[in-house]
Structures are given as C-alpha cells and as structure tokens.
Amino acid sequence: MNFLMPTEVVMGRRCIIDNASIFARYGKRAMLVTGAKSAKLNGSQEDVIAALKSQGMEYIVFDKIMANPTIDIVYEGAVLARENAIQLIIGIGGGSPMDAAKVIALLAAQDISRENLFGGKYEDKILPMIMVPTTAGSGSEVTKYAILTNDVAQTKISIATPLVFPNVAMLDASYTETLTMKTTVNTAIDALSHSIEGMLSKRANAISDLLAAESIKIIAECFKELESGQVSIVSRERLLYASALGGMVISQTGTVAVHAMGYSLTYFKNVDHGQANGLLMGEFLNYINEFEPDMISKILSFMNMNTIDEFKHKMATLLERIEKITEEEIEQYSKTVMKTGHIKNCIVTLDYEGVKRIYEKSV
Ligand SMILES: [Zn+2]
C-alpha cells in the first residue's frame, strides 16, 4: 500500500490571519490566482492580503480565472509570474482557480510546451503553492491534480503529478457562506462523488477507504440542510472538511467513469461539474451493483440508505435537471469516455454500451 499526502492542512475560522507567518516561509513575492469576483466578495482575498502585508510581503493579483480554465489563461499567468519574479503562488477560489494556480506554479518554474502539458514528464521544479478553497467540493487544495479544458481532446483533462500537491491548504469555511445554494449543493455533490468513486477505484486502499467513508457520512448528514436552503456555519465547516477528505481520497485512487462522463456534459453543455456527477451517479451505481452488490450496499449504508433508488431520488431533489441530450450526442460522449483512463480505473470495467446506457437513463 502507498499513501501520499504531503500537503499541510490548516483549518479553522480566521486561520489565514492567525497563521500569517506560513506565507513568509516561501519568500517575499506572492501572486494571488483567483476569479474575478468571489474572492473579493467572500473576504478571502482581503484576509490573504492582510496576512501578506503583516509579513512585509509584496504581492500581485491575477484575477482572470474563469470556470473550467483554459490552457491560454495558465500560460498568461505563468508569464506574469516570471516577469514579476514571483516566489509563491496562492490559489483562492473553487476548483478552477486552484487548478489554474497549480499549473501556473508549474509553468513559472519550467518551460513546458502546450503539446507536452498533459504528458506527465516534468522536471522536478515548481513554485511553492498555498491554496485557499472557497467552495467545499473540488478538494483541489489537497490533490495532485490540475484540471483544464482541452479543446483538442474536446473535454476536461487533468495534469496528474505529485509535483502539484500544494504545500499548504488553509481551510476557513466562512468564505463559503456567500455561495449561492446552488453552488453549495453542486460542490458538495462533487465532493461526495470523489469519495464514492474513490471507493470504487482499483487503486482504493485501507486509508483512502477510511477517509472516503467518513467523507460520505458527513456529506449525507448535511443533505437535510442542503435541501432546506439553510446551511449553518457548523455544517459548512463539516462540508469543507469532507471535501478535503475527498481530495485526499482521489489523490490516491483517481476518479472513475462518473467524472469522465460528466466532463463531456460540462464541455459540450456547460453543465456544472458537481451537478453532472450527481445526475450520473445513480445509474452508475446501478451498473456496478450488478457485479459488486456488497460494495454498493456498503456505500449506501454510509448515507443511511437502503436502495439506489433512494439515492437517485435524493440527487433529483437536490440537483437541477439538465436539458435532454440527443442519441447522437450520447454516442459521441460515450466514445470520448471510452478513451479515458477512468474506465480502466474502476473495479468494474464499463463497456461502451454500459456508458451509453448510463447517459440515456440519467439525462
Ligand atoms: Zn470532481
């Protein structure tokens, strides 16, 4: 067994201000990588800047990261980091800004051509990274993945290397309080799918299963509040914790078919990532259940559920439906999915017809 999780996790309200000296460990010049708005609205950017100032550090802000970041934007960020001799990259936001921050840290430290960006052969050089998640979903603050939109492959593709494990993750759930309910729910379901898929991965091990079980339980305990539209700060803290656990899980296990299938819905139909996963998960569990019923019962039991239908009903209550997709589109997406490593990574290897059937029954 192998379990690698080199990221230092600091958690709690005001943890950025109270641990400002952590930033100073990594040099004098920092670059904040974030989206245009949310980090300013939820107070995270202000807290990071206050922490940097308290340590006499200089900083620049690169706030151009969009949802599902492109390859162009990370190269642009890396040029800026180099021009300003940046020593520390601070990613603030959901999965998109954090993933972009990781690739910027990589590209600022070494030359990688666009053709080789997803190749996995990198020199052992990267700028130090601190991540501040402001959603409870991607778990990117503790993963070795950075996911970008790849227009050549017409899907989202991940850069997977232990190099992009952040040095520090700083988790303060108060930044998630300004999220819309829709984002709160979708991101929680993304975290849930990380832990469920992690348990169904060939690479699952005793420690990843332990973390996955805990994460699934916590998220399911929050279903009621997520449904009610009122999520307390205590539950937000638990969701942020569960999301980080899910990130630790997939760093060991990778994700399986649900993520690969969801990427097509996101790429072509602009469906939110967590929503796509949640809508596909029920039928995926039905498929796996034919071969590994004990495993599925175990996962359902963590959510206090007896049947997959119960799970599907819960997802249907929590998530918005998406527009119908055509048979032609389903075939196209299924072909893309079959080319991914996610398929082989699952304890049950899905075939093309199986993938098609999951799409057909889910959307
Ligand atoms: Zn995900």
Side-chain angles (χ1 to χ4, degrees):
M1 188 179 85
N2 181 305
F3 184 87
L4 177 65
M5 220 308 281
T7 304
E8 177 179 354
V9 179
V10 182
M11 189 164 184
R13 266 173 266 179
R14 278 181 52 88
C15 68
I16 287 178
I17 300 293
D18 292 347
N19 294 278
S21 61
I22 288 179
F23 293 91
R25 277 185 203 158
Y26 300 100
K28 280 267 161 220
R29 301 175 62 78
M31 180 163 118
L32 280 59
V33 176
T34 182
K37 271 187 270 170
S38 64
K40 295 176 185 69
L41 294 175
N42 61 34
S44 55
Q45 183 168 323
E46 196 184 321
D47 284 353
V48 168
I49 289 173
L52 296 175
K53 282 184 177 163
S54 77
Q55 302 298 307
M57 294 172 69
E58 291 171 33
Y59 66 90
I60 56 172
V61 179
F62 184 62
D63 61 0
K64 288 187 175 179
I65 310 302
M66 65 294 267
N68 307 312
T70 59
I71 294 170
D72 286 342
I73 204 73
V74 291
Y75 276 93
E76 189 184 325
V79 168
L80 192 68
R82 285 187 184 200
E83 282 171 357
N84 289 278
I86 293 301
Q87 296 165 306
L88 166 67
I89 299 287
I90 304 169
I92 309 174
S96 297
M98 289 192 285
D99 286 358
K102 290 174 175 179
V103 187
I104 290 171
L106 188 67
L107 291 171
Q110 57 181 290
D111 292 314
I112 307 170
S113 69
R114 285 170 184 247
E115 297 73 47
N116 292 328
L117 184 56
F118 297 97
K121 290 196 187 76
Y122 313 110
E123 289 173 66
D124 195 17
K125 286 192 292 195
I126 188 162
L127 292 187
M129 292 163 281
I130 294 179
M131 296 294 161
V132 180
T134 63
T135 65
S138 74
S140 178
E141 68 277 8
V142 292
T143 73
K144 58 175 181 183
Y145 307 113
I147 295 149
L148 298 177
T149 295
N150 183 334
D151 289 317
V152 178
Q154 292 198 316
T155 185
K156 290 170 71 173
I157 293 203
S158 81
I159 292 173
T161 163
L163 272 177
V164 302
F165 268 121
N167 299 66
V168 186
M170 299 181 108
L171 277 55
D172 182 339
S174 66
Y175 306 136
T176 70
E177 284 184 300
T178 46
L179 294 173
T180 62
M181 261 326 286
K182 192 163 132 183
T183 303
T184 303
V185 171
N186 288 349
T187 47
I189 301 305
D190 184 29
L192 178 69
S193 70
H194 294 158
S195 292
I196 294 179
E197 287 178 65
M199 291 197 83
L200 298 171
S201 160
K202 278 182 186 158
R203 287 184 277 157
N205 64 41
I207 301 176
S208 69
D209 277 352
L210 187 70
L211 301 176
E214 181 68 1
S215 154
I216 294 167
K217 282 179 200 164
I218 293 171
I219 297 167
E221 281 164 12
C222 294
F223 280 163
K224 258 207 182 82
E225 282 191 41
L226 289 168
E227 256 177 79
S228 76
Q230 288 288 333
V231 182
S232 67
I233 183 67
V234 174
S235 293
R236 288 188 178 280
E237 281 180 337
R238 301 195 75 216
L239 287 169
L240 190 58
Y241 170 62
S243 162
L245 295 183
M248 293 175 198
V249 170
I250 56 170
S251 273
Q252 319 305 318
T253 64
T255 52
V256 293
V258 173
H259 264 66
M261 295 181 70
Y263 288 156
S264 285
L265 295 177
T266 301
Y267 186 86
F268 289 103
K269 298 288 178 183
N270 210 19
V271 178
D272 175 88
H273 172 64
Q275 180 192 6
N277 294 342
L279 293 173
L280 293 162
M281 182 61 80
E283 285 304 328
F284 169 74
L285 294 180
N286 266 330
Y287 188 102
I288 305 298
N289 194 42
E290 289 173 34
F291 306 90
E292 297 281 350
D294 293 349
M295 196 66 191
I296 300 304
S297 301
K298 192 159 102 182
I299 291 170
L300 290 172
S301 75
F302 296 148
M303 295 183 276
N304 257 322
M305 291 179 186
N306 295 311
T307 65
I308 296 171
D309 275 351
E310 214 179 314
F311 177 81
K312 281 183 69 178
H313 179 75
K314 186 58 74 185
M315 291 301 112
T317 318
L318 286 166
L319 302 166
E320 284 178 14
R321 289 204 60 81
I322 59 169
E323 57 173 298
K324 277 272 167 216
I325 52 177
T326 66
E327 194 56 32
E328 214 172 44
E329 286 169 329
I330 288 177
E331 284 173 12
Q332 182 197 354
Y333 302 172
S334 302
K335 279 176 197 153
T336 304
V337 170
M338 291 308 292
K339 284 186 218 148
T340 64
H342 297 76
I343 292 293
K344 295 178 204 79
N345 192 35
C346 188
I347 54 167
V348 175
T349 309
L350 280 80
D351 56 18
Y352 174 74
E353 290 303 323
V355 171
K356 258 178 64 180
R357 187 148 44 94
I358 295 172
Y359 273 127
E360 284 160 359
K361 289 189 168 178
S362 305
V363 291

